[in-house]
Amino acid sequence: MNHSLLMIVRQYIKDWLERKKPPFGAISSCVLLMIIYSTFCDTFSNPKIDLDTFSLILIVFIIFSLQLSFMFLTFFISTRKKSGFTAADTVAVIFCSTHKSLTLGIPMLKIVFSGYEHLSLISVPLLIYHPTQILLGGLLVGTMKSWMVTRQKALNLARQVKIPV
């Protein structure tokens, strides 16, 4: 195909997309939900998983503790005076640096451990980590927002009241 034909097709597709406005966000969410659902089904329907209740609770506790520890550590590091981060930056660092995607992790596990009979058992921590980060993120949004607003107001007040030397 020559370049002119591709430019015409591109313009036609662009115009069509702008008119129709396909629901890419909804499609993306549905695909993510299908990946999570199929992974949960594959993991917990596997008869070789051999995971007792105590081990599952222990994994949940460890992952919850790790997630909180990572969030606290990133908060501590990003709020130091020499870090150069604003309050908004700190919130972004906390939420972005500790979050891992199930949609990236599961395909990587399937590629690295293809053919391994205990793949379901290996994927359990990731299956627990993903909902934990969503749950903790949801619980901390209000607290982080009020902290950020308070911090920004204090910074603005300090700039206004700055006494000349």
Side-chain angles (χ1 to χ4, degrees):
M1 291 179 112
N2 68 23
H3 185 68
S4 301
L5 181 61
L6 289 175
M7 293 301 292
I8 293 169
V9 170
R10 179 186 174 271
Q11 186 61 41
Y12 173 74
I13 290 173
K14 180 183 173 194
D15 292 341
W16 180 82
L17 286 172
E18 287 175 356
R19 277 193 323 273
K20 296 293 182 179
K21 297 190 190 300
F24 290 122
I27 292 169
S28 173
S29 295
C30 288
V31 169
L32 176 62
L33 185 60
M34 289 186 332
I35 290 171
I36 293 170
Y37 177 75
S38 67
T39 304
F40 266 88
C41 290
D42 289 346
T43 300
F44 293 107
S45 67
N46 187 344
K48 297 179 183 179
I49 194 167
D50 193 33
L51 185 66
D52 62 293
T53 306
F54 177 75
S55 297
L56 186 61
I57 291 171
L58 186 62
I59 291 170
V60 168
F61 176 75
I62 290 170
I63 289 174
F64 194 79
S65 300
L66 280 172
Q67 180 75 13
L68 277 175
S69 299
F70 291 152
M71 290 177 110
F72 177 75
L73 182 64
T74 55
F75 179 79
F76 176 74
I77 291 171
S78 64
T79 54
R80 296 180 68 201
K81 293 235 188 253
K82 293 184 180 182
S83 72
F85 290 120
T86 65
D89 292 338
T90 296
V91 172
V93 167
I94 289 169
F95 286 115
C96 295
S97 67
T98 60
H99 283 55
K100 304 298 169 233
S101 173
L102 185 66
T103 56
L104 178 63
I106 292 300
M108 283 182 8
L109 281 175
K110 287 183 177 182
I111 291 169
V112 172
F113 295 103
S114 66
Y116 185 60
E117 65 178 295
H118 298 292
L119 178 62
S120 295
L121 194 58
I122 292 172
S123 64
V124 168
L126 185 57
L127 288 171
I128 294 170
Y129 190 91
H130 186 77
T132 301
Q133 69 189 14
I134 293 170
L135 176 70
L136 281 175
L139 291 173
L140 291 175
V141 164
T143 305
M144 293 306 299
K145 182 179 178 183
S146 64
W147 173 82
M148 182 181 71
V149 169
T150 303
R151 183 96 181 233
Q152 287 172 338
K153 284 180 182 176
L155 183 62
N156 289 338
L157 184 63
R159 286 182 184 157
Q160 291 174 358
V161 178
K162 197 169 193 175
I163 302 170
V165 179

